[in-house]
Amino acid sequence: MTEYGRGSGPEPWHPEDPLYGDSGWSGHEARQGRMPFGGSPQQQYPQEPQHQQYHQQEQYPGQVQGYPQQPLPHEQMPVQQPAYDGGGQAWDTAHGGYNPAPQAAQGYPGTGQYPGAAEGYPGTGAHPGTDAYPGTDAYPAADPYAGADPYAQQPVGGYPGETPDLYGTPDAYPPPKPPGRRDPEPDAEPEDDAPDEDSALADSGRDGDEDDRDPGSGGGRRAGRSKGKGKPKRSGAACLVAALVIAGVVGGGGYYGYSYLKARFGSAEDYAGSGNGESVEVEIPNGATVAQMGSILKEAGVVASTQAFVDAATADKRSTGIQPGTYTLQKKMSSASAIAVLVDPSKLNVLTIPEGKRAVDVYKMIDKKLGKPEGTTAQVAQQQVKNLGLPAWAVSTRKVRDPLEGFLYPTRYDLSKETTPESLLKQMVKNANDKYAALGLEGKAKELGLANPYELVIVASLVQVEGNKHDDFRKMSEVIYNRLKPSNTATNQKIEFDSTINYIKGTSNINVSREETRKIDDPYNTYRYAGLPPGPISNPGDEAVNAALDPDKGGWMFFVSIDGNTTTFTKTFAEHDKLVTEFNERQKKKSGG
């Protein structure tokens, strides 16, 4: 048996080795659970004792019982490959194991060379036992069936030497070492203690061939250990970076975890006090929720958190009355302090123009709200009247006291630091134009017998001032249209409204004497001049404009306000005169006359 014969012990090569699968050497049985024939269990056949396998001195090792053969001359030995198990191995019956595939370099039966003879059998220079085979004068001729399984399928072969060399290709596994030179895989050594191979050899002064010493020589390192370079040493910078990354992840996770728990279970962050003295304007839009208000205030730096503002608003019932608009607050206010400002209408940075206000009164309101000297806005209105956006149909004559009268739309205006009298007047005129255009004043004027839309605005301004309540507006509108009719002989097409005398005088008296109505010579005196006054006498609201467009149909011609709150309408002058007499008597009693 050559040095390639296998002995007991762990398999010395990788499972992908083409000769992998032999689990026994030197006649030992296959290890339990191992499939020696590439996945198929080996079929056992009874064998005669070993001494009976030799036919005196002419029977060869490995001859199968039942196939007696006579020795043939060396020249007549048929050249035939023995049967293999599909892994490139032939069964050696005599020695109880597989022999590797024959190779021309090591000898082949029939060539005069015994496999492995080039290297010699361990312990001798020839065959085991003697220089010749036991009991023969020379090496016997090879038996073509020696070591072959009679039931194994013969591989398809051609000519000698064509069997693939399983160890001769560059990618093949190296031939296995004999049993005496096999050692188990070295145990893994700790990475930190594994020195660089080159440096270890240099430090010890040992030759690198020490790894190949025979294990039987005593001492030395285990055979088969790799001579390659050791694993690269760990970099201190890499460890530092890894530590920083881990610390960042842990720290970030802890921060967000703390933030979540605080937001979920802790009290919301809030400032203390009424602010740091730094003013900031905040606009609360119409329809904003409490949470939206809190978000706006937090973004402006007023409150510390939205949740704190929501909590404060929930605790203060007055927060339901917060009006939209622009507020002047301070930065870093407590949420409760911010709520206190928002619920106070006087703190709202807006300007609300009531219905029926005259232009001169609107100018004064603007000056006061914007902190301007009195008369500033009136001067801007007079100088910039052509640049404020009045409609083309607005009449501007020398008789009109103020061209902007009737076009300063009454509503609320949000103010800011950038607001100026001019910008505010432009906004008011624009709102009036938009409203009049939406109501279709130009088309309705002719239907009502008026010369232009401007006269509709004048009617609406009269309705706004003379009517005490919105319920009176449509009746008051009908009174105006009836008195403008040519058929009106009771007043001869004169309006005769006390409100026009008050407009001239700049007063708001409900008791106008007859003497005043006769003496004042002014185009706005509707007691003296028939028809409508030259221009509006107030800035009417939506209800008054709608009443001017849709007057009542009750036939009303006269009205009188007895107590200053209630207006009574009549159709005839006699009814009206009776009411006037009652009104005068009541006034004498109040004055003590």
Side-chain angles (χ1 to χ4, degrees):
M1 186 172 181
T2 66
E3 65 175 355
Y4 288 98
R6 305 183 182 184
S8 60
E11 290 83 0
W13 55 78
H14 194 275
E16 293 183 3
D17 188 339
L19 299 186
Y20 181 84
D22 180 13
S23 302
W25 291 75
S26 302
H28 293 284
E29 291 182 359
R31 191 178 303 174
Q32 182 68 22
R34 178 68 65 180
M35 297 297 182
F37 286 94
S40 301
Q42 179 180 355
Q43 184 177 2
Q44 302 293 334
Y45 295 94
Q47 297 182 0
E48 294 295 330
Q50 188 171 2
H51 69 275
Q52 295 179 4
Q53 294 181 9
Y54 293 90
H55 182 66
Q56 295 179 358
Q57 294 180 357
E58 298 177 355
Q59 191 169 3
Y60 303 122
Q63 180 175 351
V64 181
Q65 184 70 19
Y67 292 88
Q69 298 181 7
Q70 296 297 327
L72 297 175
H74 179 71
E75 291 81 1
Q76 298 178 4
M77 176 64 67
V79 179
Q80 182 177 0
Q81 297 181 13
Y84 300 101
D85 68 331
Q89 302 173 2
W91 178 257
D92 190 345
T93 307
H95 296 81
Y98 282 96
N99 283 328
Q103 301 182 14
Q106 297 176 351
Y108 189 83
T111 63
Q113 294 181 351
Y114 189 81
E119 298 177 2
Y121 194 83
T124 68
H127 194 271
T130 65
D131 293 338
Y133 197 81
T136 63
D137 295 332
Y139 187 81
D143 185 354
Y145 297 101
D149 186 350
Y151 297 97
Q153 184 178 358
Q154 295 294 333
V156 179
Y159 299 94
E162 288 188 350
T163 302
D165 185 0
L166 301 177
Y167 292 108
T169 60
D171 298 332
Y173 287 88
K177 292 185 178 181
R181 293 191 180 183
R182 302 176 194 163
D183 280 330
E185 289 295 328
D187 295 333
E189 298 180 4
E191 292 183 1
D192 294 341
D193 299 332
D196 190 294
E197 190 72 10
D198 296 337
S199 62
L201 291 174
D203 294 341
S204 62
R206 292 182 296 177
D207 192 349
D209 294 333
E210 255 187 327
D211 289 346
D212 295 331
R213 293 185 302 182
D214 192 287
S217 62
R221 299 168 63 182
R222 291 179 294 182
R225 188 167 183 176
S226 174
K227 297 181 181 180
K229 293 184 178 180
K231 295 184 178 179
K233 297 181 179 180
R234 292 181 177 176
S235 170
C239 294
L240 178 59
V241 172
L244 292 176
V245 171
I246 293 173
V249 171
V250 174
Y255 171 77
Y256 284 110
Y258 170 77
S259 301
Y260 171 79
L261 292 176
K262 183 178 180 182
R264 182 68 177 83
F265 302 104
S267 59
E269 184 180 0
D270 197 4
Y271 294 126
S274 58
N276 60 2
E278 183 179 356
S279 298
V280 58
E281 291 185 346
V282 178
E283 181 179 357
I284 302 299
N286 188 24
T289 63
V290 174
Q292 291 172 338
M293 294 179 190
S295 179
I296 293 172
L297 293 174
K298 180 181 181 301
E299 186 176 353
V302 176
V303 298
S305 65
T306 301
Q307 187 60 46
F309 180 82
V310 172
D311 295 341
T314 303
D316 194 336
K317 296 181 179 180
R318 298 179 302 169
S319 62
T320 58
I322 296 177
Q323 301 180 16
T326 303
Y327 295 84
T328 301
L329 299 100
Q330 295 185 26
K331 288 188 175 182
K332 295 187 177 182
M333 299 178 69
S334 67
S335 297
S337 299
I339 292 291
V341 173
L342 296 177
V343 297
D344 186 356
S346 64
K347 303 296 183 181
L348 187 64
N349 194 16
V350 297
L351 176 63
T352 302
I353 306 300
E355 297 177 346
K357 279 289 182 180
R358 299 168 186 165
V360 292
D361 296 329
V362 174
Y363 301 151
K364 293 178 181 179
M365 294 174 65
I366 294 175
D367 288 341
K368 183 177 181 180
K369 192 65 180 180
L370 297 182
K372 303 294 182 181
E374 186 175 352
T376 300
T377 304
Q379 185 177 2
V380 171
Q382 183 179 3
Q383 295 176 352
Q384 302 294 329
V385 62
K386 294 182 179 181
N387 302 323
L388 298 178
L390 288 171
W393 47 262
V395 178
S396 179
T397 64
R398 296 180 62 181
K399 295 181 179 180
V400 176
R401 286 179 172 263
D402 192 332
L404 296 181
E405 195 78 76
F407 293 93
L408 304 178
Y409 188 74
T411 188
R412 196 187 73 182
Y413 294 90
D414 295 329
L415 308 178
S416 65
K417 294 180 179 180
E418 290 74 24
T419 302
T420 62
E422 183 177 358
S423 65
L424 194 54
L425 291 175
K426 286 182 177 181
Q427 183 63 42
M428 292 178 178
V429 173
K430 181 182 182 305
N431 288 347
N433 289 338
D434 294 343
K435 176 60 64 175
Y436 296 157
L439 294 176
L441 259 64
E442 291 190 62
K444 292 291 185 69
K446 293 182 178 180
E447 294 179 7
L448 296 170
L450 301 176
N452 50 56
Y454 189 66
E455 289 188 352
L456 254 176
V457 177
I458 297 174
V459 172
S461 69
L462 294 171
V463 171
Q464 182 73 65
V465 176
E466 290 288 346
N468 292 327
K469 299 177 181 179
H470 288 178
D471 295 340
D472 299 338
F473 284 172
R474 293 187 66 235
K475 291 181 179 180
M476 191 66 66
S477 177
E478 185 183 9
V479 169
I480 295 173
Y481 287 118
N482 286 335
R483 291 188 180 186
L484 291 175
K485 291 180 178 179
S487 59
N488 173 22
T489 58
T491 63
N492 296 322
Q493 298 181 358
K494 293 179 182 178
I495 300 296
E496 293 186 353
F497 279 4
D498 292 348
S499 57
T500 58
I501 302 297
N502 286 322
Y503 183 76
I504 295 170
K505 296 173 57 177
T507 59
S508 297
N509 298 326
I510 62 172
N511 187 11
V512 177
S513 64
R514 291 288 181 176
E515 185 178 358
E516 288 180 327
T517 59
R518 295 188 184 99
K519 289 183 178 179
I520 297 176
D521 187 5
D522 191 283
Y524 282 84
N525 185 354
T526 55
Y527 283 95
R528 188 180 183 107
Y529 296 97
L532 294 172
I537 63 173
S538 70
N539 292 281
D542 291 347
E543 292 294 333
V545 176
N546 288 328
L549 294 173
D550 184 22
D552 191 75
K553 307 297 181 184
W556 311 112
M557 281 287 294
F558 303 94
F559 64 94
V560 61
S561 178
I562 298 176
D563 56 2
N565 295 321
T566 304
T567 302
T568 304
F569 293 87
T570 61
K571 298 179 181 178
T572 63
F573 179 76
E575 295 173 333
H576 171 69
D577 189 55
K578 181 181 178 179
L579 292 175
V580 171
T581 301
E582 294 176 359
F583 174 77
N584 291 334
E585 290 178 357
R586 190 177 295 110
Q587 293 296 323
K588 288 180 181 181
K589 290 179 180 180
K590 288 182 178 181
S591 62

